[in-house]
DNA sequence: CCCCGGCCTTGACCGAGGTCAATCCGGTTC
DNA sequence: GAACCGGATTGACCTCGGTCAAGGCCGGGG
């Protein structure tokens, strides 16, 4: 059954025009002849199995990528092999931007589940950008969105205690699922606890404990990789530490 | 004497061609007629005093900026007024990219000392990009550099203990000074201890203690805002925690 | 000149969360 | 179905660095 659904996906991927992500992705705001040309430069040969690498740290840069289905994690490994997860990437999201600066990848990207990827060879893309101001604009907008998201994550890493980090992480995932017209309250965490811990700058044990605590509090239902948000209101409240914020009326 | 030197700077700022930052900045790799056109779109009216804002969080976006002299800090403020410093920006560095995504600034930028700024009105810039593929390429490269730097900082925030954070911070500053053909070993820290602490995700007290400890260790000479790196080798060694790294020969 | 107010430093204390270690659970192999 | 293995959970302990509190330093204004 898996094979057939994958085949379907590949067949669906014929044009950006017919893609469900159209409005969230690079083609947003582009149509007609221009869209056809963008379409023509996209190579969709990439399908990745769980754990397979899209590109490796230090590897030669030659394309940008957009997740079409599934999910990726990007991370860097330092000299001694410790990994730091930089982000998780859902359909419609762009990866590989950090490689343009000096023509080789500063990070690596791996599939968290069977995923399909749109590949945008950079030389082709450049020609297109020269001819399509609207695409140029949209590309900058997408990159800017990425930068803004990373800024948000720095706030999390800089100031927030563990519990707030988890809450913000889950809320962000939920929001992104919703944007994809999926159910924002039943999350399928394709990444491991280790990945989450690394991404949030915490120990795996802490992540695990927080899941349990939030389940006990009736906010989540956690079963392995399947997480259901039962009380979005409480989750939201948990995103900002009670310490900062309100001046009076702190329950505690 | 201050007034005259500022006037000089403003007079120097006539063209990108004559700018000392030429090769580090947007115009890198661009010359002849194209450079003139880029020049024409840059408005250099901006001179900021210490503490003055370049743009405010939530403000309407209309331009990108490049630091010409002096330095900036960018930061976000959450609902309760706590600030998280996102970065410090030296001459030749681009700020304001996170605002393109939805047309208003997601962060704010303030001068750390008297600074002059090149302003690139986005509408003009866009016209230019449509006509100058080389500028388009260079802009993406500069943005990519910024993204890569932020990834590096996430590694710091995610895994590193306090001492390593400080060491990496100082090394990074030193490197950037050197790139500007300044002396990389005599740093002038235009930002406050509070800014450093926020940027590194530490308490001010910790930053202060680390300065003292590194001075006692003979690595630095610290006097208020003036920091001299006496032993770059030791500073470098301090950048990676001894815990990770080597497999044998760990003292302790 | 002295006082005042930021900024910075130093010391003493303490708690959130990291580390270590044991166990559990679900999936895979034979 | 027994053995195995990697990921996840749980508990006990301890450390790093945050918090609180008390000066010190320097620069600016009266």
């Amino acid at each position: 059954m898996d094979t057939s659904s994958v085949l379907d996906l590949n067949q669906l991927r014929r044009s950006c025009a017919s893609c469900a992500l159209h409005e969230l992705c690079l083609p947003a705001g582009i149509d007609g002849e221009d869209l056809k040309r963008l379409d023509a430069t996209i190579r969709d040969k990439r399908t990745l199995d769980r754990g397979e690498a899209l590109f490796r740290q230090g590897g030669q840069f030659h394309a940008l990528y957009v997740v079409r289905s599934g999910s990726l994690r990007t991370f860097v490994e330092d000299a001694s092999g410790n990994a730091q997860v930089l982000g998780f990437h859902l359909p419609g999201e762009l990866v590989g931007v950090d490689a343009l600066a000096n023509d080789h990848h500063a990070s690596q990207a791996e599939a968290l589940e069977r995923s399909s990827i749109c590949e945008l060879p950079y030389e082709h893309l450049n020609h297109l950008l020269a001819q399509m101001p609207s695409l140029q604009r949209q590309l900058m907008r997408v990159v800017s969105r990425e930068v803004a998201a990373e800024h948000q994550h720095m706030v999390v890493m800089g100031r927030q205690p563990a519990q707030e980090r988890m809450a913000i992480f889950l809320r962000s995932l939920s929001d992104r699922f919703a944007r994809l017209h999926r159910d924002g309250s039943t999350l399928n965490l394709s990444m491991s606890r280790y990945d989450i811990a690394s991404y949030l700058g915490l120990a795996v044990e802490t992540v695990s404990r927080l899941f349990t605590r939030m389940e006990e509090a009736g906010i989540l239902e956690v079963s392995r990789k399947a997480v259901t948000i039962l009380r979005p209101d409480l989750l939201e409240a948990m995103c900002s530490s009670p310490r900062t914020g309100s001046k009076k009326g702190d329950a505690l």
Side-chain angles (χ1 to χ4, degrees), chain A:
Chain A
M1 63 169 180
D2 209 27
T3 342
S4 77
S5 79
V6 167
L7 282 177
D8 284 346
L9 269 185
N10 280 343
Q11 276 159 6
L12 267 178
R13 164 75 194 107
R14 182 145 301 139
S15 69
C16 289
S18 71
C19 178
L21 301 172
H22 189 129
E23 281 310 321
L24 305 169
C25 187
L26 264 189
I30 294 170
D31 45 18
E33 194 55 36
D34 279 352
L35 185 53
K36 276 193 194 153
R37 283 153 72 200
L38 171 57
D39 237 353
T41 74
I42 297 179
R43 293 195 304 187
D44 64 320
K45 66 178 160 80
R46 296 279 208 152
T47 302
L48 301 178
D49 280 326
R50 177 168 209 275
E52 210 176 328
L54 180 57
F55 50 79
R56 291 235 163 269
Q57 203 164 335
Q60 179 71 24
F61 165 73
H62 65 100
L64 295 177
Y65 304 91
V66 175
V67 182
R68 184 174 161 72
S69 71
S71 51
L72 304 183
R73 67 194 249 260
T74 47
F75 60 102
V76 294
E77 251 170 8
D78 65 16
S80 42
N82 310 37
Q84 168 67 40
V85 172
L86 299 172
F88 305 110
H89 307 274
L90 301 186
E93 295 173 0
L94 188 70
V95 281
V97 177
D98 64 356
L100 272 85
N102 46 11
D103 260 21
H104 64 78
H105 289 283
S107 57
Q108 36 196 323
E110 257 185 36
L112 288 166
E113 59 195 310
R114 178 164 264 260
S115 305
S116 63
I117 307 291
C118 295
E119 180 176 327
L120 301 102
Y122 195 56
E123 283 313 315
H124 294 201
L125 185 61
N126 254 329
H127 286 138
L128 220 55
L129 289 169
Q131 295 158 27
M132 293 173 46
S134 55
L135 180 60
Q136 141 70 28
R137 250 182 131 88
Q138 176 62 10
L139 176 60
M140 282 303 287
R141 217 176 280 131
V142 171
V143 170
S144 168
R145 199 199 293 159
E146 197 183 325
V147 171
E150 271 164 19
H151 284 177
Q152 200 45 49
H153 192 231
M154 281 192 192
V155 175
V156 171
M157 301 283 266
R159 292 265 129 246
Q160 303 299 330
Q163 180 168 285
E164 281 73 2
R165 295 190 192 197
M166 274 292 289
I168 292 169
F169 167 66
L170 291 171
R171 180 183 59 176
S172 140
L173 264 192
S174 167
D175 288 351
R176 285 151 78 197
F177 271 59
R179 235 176 49 119
L180 295 172
H181 310 292
R182 296 195 207 165
D183 182 359
S185 60
T186 51
L187 309 179
N188 181 13
L189 303 185
S190 55
M191 69 295 289
S192 74
R193 301 289 194 258
Y194 286 87
D195 290 331
I196 299 175
S198 168
Y199 177 63
L200 296 178
L202 301 172
V204 209
E205 292 91 333
T206 307
V207 170
S208 189
R209 279 187 254 268
L210 285 170
F211 270 127
T212 334
R213 215 185 296 164
M214 288 168 90
E215 189 164 30
E216 283 167 359
I219 300 172
L220 303 178
E221 188 172 288
V222 184
S223 161
R224 206 105 180 112
K225 307 220 161 249
V227 170
T228 312
I229 301 174
L230 301 174
R231 296 287 306 272
D233 53 333
L234 293 181
L235 184 66
E236 180 61 35
M238 202 175 262
C239 288
S240 49
S241 21
R243 185 152 312 298
T244 69
S246 58
K247 285 203 156 82
K248 66 168 203 178
D250 261 325
L252 152 64

